[in-house]
Amino acid sequence: MATLLRADPTFYASPRLAAQAPPETLAYVVVVNPGDGPDGLATLDADRSSKTYGTVLNTLTTTHAGDELHHFGWNACSSSLCPYAAHPHVERRYLLAPGIRSSRIYVIDTKPDPRAPRIVKTIEPEEIANRAGYSRPHTSHCGPDGIYVSALGSPSGDGPGGIFIVDHDTFDVRGRWELDRGPQYLAYDFWWHLGYDTMVTSEWGTPKMIENGVIPEILFKGGYGHQLHIWDLPKRRHRQVIDLGAEQQMVLELRPAHDPSKAYGFVGVVTSLKDLSSSVWAWYQDGNTWKARKVIEIPAEPADPEQLPPILKGFKAVAPLVSDINLSLDDRFLYVSCWGTGEFLQYDVSDPFNPKKTGSAHLGGIVRRAAHPNSGALNGGPQMVEVSRDGKRVYVSNGLYKAWDDQFYPDGMKGWVAKLDVGDNGGIELDRNFFVQSEQRFHQVHLEGGDASSDSYCFS
C-alpha cells in the first residue's frame, strides 16, 4: 500500500466536516449471481450531470463461483485520523469484499480507474481459519489500527462467531480479536464508540442456522440471536450482555451515533415472535452500564395467505422484516428498510428515545409488489440502505441473502437499486432517473469517498 505525505483528502476529522464533502459521482454495489456463476462488483454512475447517470458503468467479475458476496468495506477511512491511529497516512483505495458462503475475501483496487476496479489480492478461507479460527466473514470496518471483520462462525459451521483483524498494509490476517469473549457465541454485526473505548456486537445465527434459510424449529423456540454484547475495545474483552428477550429474533444492523461524544446507537430487530412486528432499539450508556429500549415498532400487515410464502401462510400476515437501518452523519435521520412489506421509512431521531416518522416510500414487498416510477411490479423490498455524507441522497437495494431471498420471494427475484432524494427538513422522494435493474441480485452499496456506514470519527 502507498504511504501518503498528507492524510487522504477523503478522511475527515469529524462527521460535521465529512457532511461538507462534495457529492459522490460513483457508487459501488455488490452483484450476487443467483445461479452457479461468479459474483461481481458493479460501478454505478451517480453523477447527476452525466449522460449515463443511473446506469451501470462497469462490472468486475470475481475469480470463483459460489462466494455470495455480501457486505464490503474500505481498507482505510476517517478513523485513521484518530490520535492513536497506528497508520495515520494510509489511503482509502481498496475495497474488501467477503464471500459470506465461501469465506473468501477479495481485495479490490479502485485507484487506477475508479470506474473499473480490479482484484489485486485474494484472502483464502484457509488463512482465515488457520489464523483466526473463523469462517463466513460478514461486516468489515476500517479501524484506527487495522481492518476489523466479523465472522458468523467457525470453519465447521458452528459457533462461536467473532471478529478478526486484517492488516491494512499487507492484507494478511493477523488473528482473532477477542481475548476474552465471555458468554458471547452468536455473531453478526459490530461497530464501536471510539470516544468511549467501547465496541457493540449483535447476533444472527451460526452458519448452520442460516445457510439453508430460516429454520422454523429454531425460530419459534427463540433460538436465533436476541442479545447485544458490550466490549472493552482496547482491552478486547467482553464486558456486558444486553438481552432484548428471546421473543426478539435476529438482532442485526448496528448504527452508533457518528458524533463520538454521544454514547447511544440503534439496532434493528427482524421480527417478534409475539406478533411478527419488527422493531428498532436504542442502546445507551447509563452510568457504568449500558442499556437498551425499544423506540420504534412496525406492525405486521394482514394478508391473504394465498399471497404469502409457505413460512408466513399460517400467520395470515406479512412481516415487515426490518433487515437494515442507517443513520445520517448528523445523527438526525434514521432510515429503516422493511424488506417484507416493501416500505422504506425515515425517522427524525434528534431525540433518540422519541423518534418521529418523517418519510415513507414503497418498493416491492412480498404482497404489495410496489413499482418504481420507471418499472413494473417489483419483487424483493428495500433492503441494504446507504446514505450520502451530506445526507441528501439515499440508495437502497433489494437482495438480502440467497437462501432467504428464495424462501420469502419463491417466485424469483430480479435485482434493483433505487435512489431517493431527502428534503431539507425530512421527507424522501424516489428519483425517477436513477433505477438500475438486473437479472443478477444486488446487495450492499458503498459510495465513492465514503458514506454514512463506512467511516468512524474521533472528533465531534
Side-chain angles (χ1 to χ4, degrees):
M1 170 183 292
T3 300
L4 306 179
L5 296 177
R6 295 180 179 178
D8 187 305
T10 70
F11 296 173
Y12 292 88
S14 69
R16 180 173 52 82
L17 292 174
Q20 299 170 18
E24 68 282 356
T25 60
L26 298 174
Y28 300 106
V29 58
V30 157
V31 178
V32 178
N33 191 317
D36 298 327
D39 298 333
L41 183 77
T43 307
L44 309 183
D45 189 342
D47 182 354
R48 245 186 215 280
S49 64
S50 169
K51 293 180 180 178
T52 54
Y53 173 67
T55 65
V56 177
L57 297 172
N58 178 75
T59 301
L60 172 155
T61 302
T62 55
T63 55
H64 294 69
D67 291 313
E68 189 156 4
L69 299 186
H70 201 67
H71 290 203
F72 66 116
W74 291 102
N75 64 304
C77 60
S78 300
S79 64
S80 298
L81 301 183
C82 289
Y84 53 90
H87 304 276
H89 296 299
V90 292
E91 181 181 18
R92 188 199 306 270
R93 172 170 176 172
Y94 302 96
L95 288 166
L96 272 70
I100 194 172
R101 196 165 288 268
S102 69
S103 302
R104 182 175 293 110
I105 300 178
Y106 296 98
V107 181
I108 300 170
D109 189 356
T110 68
K111 187 168 184 179
D113 184 354
R115 292 185 168 215
R118 58 191 178 93
I119 296 170
V120 294
K121 179 171 179 171
T122 303
I123 303 172
E124 295 294 345
E126 292 78 11
E127 180 177 345
I128 299 170
N130 292 336
R131 297 194 178 187
Y134 289 137
S135 71
R136 282 75 159 189
H138 187 270
T139 301
S140 165
H141 279 304
C142 34
D145 54 346
I147 304 165
Y148 289 59
V149 185
S150 68
L152 297 181
S154 66
S156 69
D158 297 305
I163 294 169
F164 61 94
I165 305 295
V166 175
D167 186 286
H168 54 192
D169 282 324
T170 64
F171 302 113
D172 293 333
V173 175
R174 289 184 186 164
R176 180 176 292 199
W177 175 75
E178 301 88 357
L179 292 179
D180 175 3
R181 67 178 344 106
Q184 179 267 328
Y185 185 77
L186 300 179
Y188 180 72
D189 199 13
F190 73 98
W191 215 345
W192 39 53
H193 293 284
L194 294 178
Y196 291 83
D197 288 342
T198 296
M199 178 184 281
V200 183
T201 65
S202 61
E203 295 183 341
W204 186 12
T206 65
K208 288 182 177 177
M209 294 166 66
I210 58 103
E211 287 188 335
N212 293 312
V214 177
I215 301 175
E217 293 78 11
I218 296 177
L219 175 67
F220 299 137
K221 291 180 180 177
Y224 286 101
H226 49 84
Q227 296 180 332
L228 294 173
H229 298 270
I230 308 297
W231 303 77
D232 185 313
L233 180 58
K235 293 182 179 177
R236 301 157 58 190
R237 284 174 163 78
H238 190 276
R239 288 176 51 191
Q240 183 189 339
V241 174
I242 302 176
D243 195 337
L244 307 187
E247 167 191 312
Q248 308 296 336
Q249 286 290 282
M250 294 172 275
V251 181
L252 299 185
E253 306 294 340
L254 299 163
R255 306 298 174 196
H258 296 287
D259 182 340
S261 70
K262 298 175 180 175
Y264 67 82
F266 301 94
V267 60
V269 176
V270 174
T271 196
S272 165
L273 296 180
K274 178 182 177 183
D275 54 11
L276 289 188
S277 63
S278 292
S279 56
V280 176
W281 297 58
W283 76 78
Y284 58 99
Q285 189 178 40
D286 184 9
N288 293 324
T289 191
W290 293 78
K291 299 178 178 177
R293 71 189 205 205
K294 188 190 300 183
V295 295
I296 296 171
E297 184 171 282
I298 303 166
E301 298 179 0
D304 180 348
E306 293 301 315
Q307 296 180 288
L308 296 172
I311 194 171
L312 293 177
K313 281 186 184 296
F315 297 98
K316 299 180 180 179
V318 59
L321 301 177
V322 166
S323 52
D324 193 22
I325 61 175
N326 211 330
L327 183 63
S328 60
L329 278 190
D330 60 3
D331 297 325
R332 180 180 179 187
F333 291 115
L334 184 74
Y335 295 91
V336 179
S337 288
C338 300
W339 188 65
T341 53
E343 187 171 18
F344 186 65
L345 294 159
Q346 180 198 55
Y347 292 89
D348 185 331
V349 291
S350 301
D351 177 353
F353 302 111
N354 293 287
K356 296 178 181 177
K357 183 178 171 181
T358 49
S360 171
H362 287 95
L363 286 169
I366 293 172
V367 173
R368 189 174 278 113
R369 307 288 168 131
H372 184 274
N374 287 339
S375 79
L378 295 175
N379 50 21
Q383 210 283 103
M384 295 306 297
V385 48
E386 195 49 77
V387 185
S388 65
R389 289 173 293 187
D390 59 10
K392 295 181 179 178
R393 296 164 301 284
V394 181
Y395 300 81
V396 292
S397 60
N398 70 329
L400 198 158
Y401 182 61
K402 281 204 295 188
W404 289 39
D405 294 344
D406 297 341
Q407 191 172 25
F408 287 92
Y409 290 89
D411 55 329
M413 179 187 289
K414 287 186 176 181
W416 49 259
V417 180
K419 171 180 162 283
L420 300 98
D421 294 315
V422 180
D424 291 339
N425 294 307
I428 46 177
E429 183 178 2
L430 285 164
D431 179 350
R432 61 175 55 243
N433 296 317
F434 193 105
F435 184 71
V436 179
Q437 200 166 14
S438 170
E439 296 297 326
Q440 307 278 68
R441 296 177 186 175
F442 295 122
H443 193 64
Q444 190 175 30
V445 177
H446 272 308
L447 305 179
E448 173 195 29
D451 47 55
S453 71
S454 66
D455 287 42
S456 305
Y457 305 90
C458 276
F459 302 92
S460 297

